[in-house]
């Protein structure tokens, strides 16, 4: 059993932003199609495939460019697994797409908390995954991608004010 468990992983990071926790959460929960406006070179679009924006069980399709020099657009079909507006939390589980070539399962959780004693917020990214084999790298570059898009979304939200 120990063999299989080495394929299961979790990566986490935190990004400090200037925007409010609610605003950052809102763009992923209610307006993910606006994420591409904030990060045009990384996220090319998000389409609602089934259900409603920000509702558990809804399916969205992300188009993004990550980790390939040729700028090829990758696709991820995700189901919203959890949404908690009180905690500014949303979880996307990847159902299909380019990530599934290397992972049996993959989920992104984004939780935003207001910074203690000051303005701004902290974005917590949690990546939970199971690799298909030992040869597959842990998704550190994807975690870095999450950090970069967080900063770009922050800039976008501040510009909107």
């Amino acid at each position: 059993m120990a063999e299989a468990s080495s394929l299961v992983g979790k990566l986490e990071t935190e990004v400090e932003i200037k925007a409010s926790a609610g605003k950052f959460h809102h763009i992923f929960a209610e307006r993910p199609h606006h994420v591409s406006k904030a990060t045009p070179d990384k996220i090319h679009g998000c389409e609602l495939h089934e259900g409603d924006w920000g509702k558990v069980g809804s399916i969205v399709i992300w188009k993004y460019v990550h980790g390939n020099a040729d700028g090829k657009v990758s696709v991820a079909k995700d189901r919203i697994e959890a949404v908690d507006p009180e905690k500014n939390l949303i979880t996307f589980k990847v159902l299909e797409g380019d990530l599934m070539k290397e992972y049996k399962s993959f989920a992104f959780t984004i939780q935003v908390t207001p910074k203690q004693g000051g303005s701004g917020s902290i974005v917590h990214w949690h990546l939970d995954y199971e690799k298909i084999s030992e040869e597959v790298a842990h998704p550190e570059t994807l975690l870095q991608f999450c950090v970069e898009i967080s900063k770009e979304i922050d800039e976008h939200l501040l510009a909107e004010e």
Side-chain angles (χ1 to χ4, degrees):
M1 220 33 220
E3 286 286 301
S5 66
S6 66
L7 299 174
V8 174
K10 180 182 208 130
L11 285 177
E12 296 181 40
T13 192
E14 292 186 345
V15 187
E16 286 194 28
I17 60 167
K18 294 185 183 80
S20 73
K23 273 195 176 144
F24 194 93
H25 170 73
H26 186 77
I27 200 166
F28 274 98
E30 305 291 331
R31 307 190 292 150
H33 46 302
H34 285 212
V35 171
S36 59
K37 285 184 184 161
T39 66
D41 58 330
K42 295 180 181 69
I43 308 272
H44 284 224
C46 182
E47 295 161 25
L48 185 63
H49 183 67
E50 208 173 282
D52 296 301
W53 293 119
K55 299 280 183 278
V56 171
S58 296
I59 294 173
V60 294
I61 297 173
W62 294 93
K63 293 189 170 86
Y64 61 98
V65 174
H66 159 256
N68 43 21
D70 59 2
K72 185 176 108 38
V73 176
S74 299
V75 176
K77 185 179 193 179
D78 296 1
R79 181 173 58 228
I80 298 173
E81 292 283 285
V83 181
D84 187 337
E86 296 286 305
K87 291 185 179 157
N88 294 309
L89 179 143
I90 189 163
T91 300
F92 293 97
K93 181 178 170 52
V94 183
L95 304 177
E96 295 171 21
D98 293 278
L99 273 175
M100 295 291 105
K101 291 172 187 161
E102 297 186 308
Y103 299 93
K104 272 188 199 161
S105 66
F106 210 105
F108 294 85
T109 298
I110 309 162
Q111 182 170 15
V112 201
T113 51
K115 229 185 265 173
Q116 293 302 313
S119 63
S121 321
I122 297 176
V123 183
H124 307 261
W125 286 87
H126 301 256
L127 278 49
D128 293 283
Y129 54 90
E130 184 179 351
K131 305 188 295 181
I132 56 170
S133 71
E134 283 298 340
E135 284 71 60
V136 173
H138 289 280
E140 266 112 1
T141 60
L142 198 57
L143 195 67
Q144 186 53 40
F145 179 81
C146 295
V147 169
E148 289 164 12
I149 64 171
S150 298
K151 290 177 177 168
E152 290 181 20
I153 290 166
D154 188 35
E155 298 280 318
H156 177 75
L157 291 170
L158 294 171
E160 276 189 338
E161 283 178 5

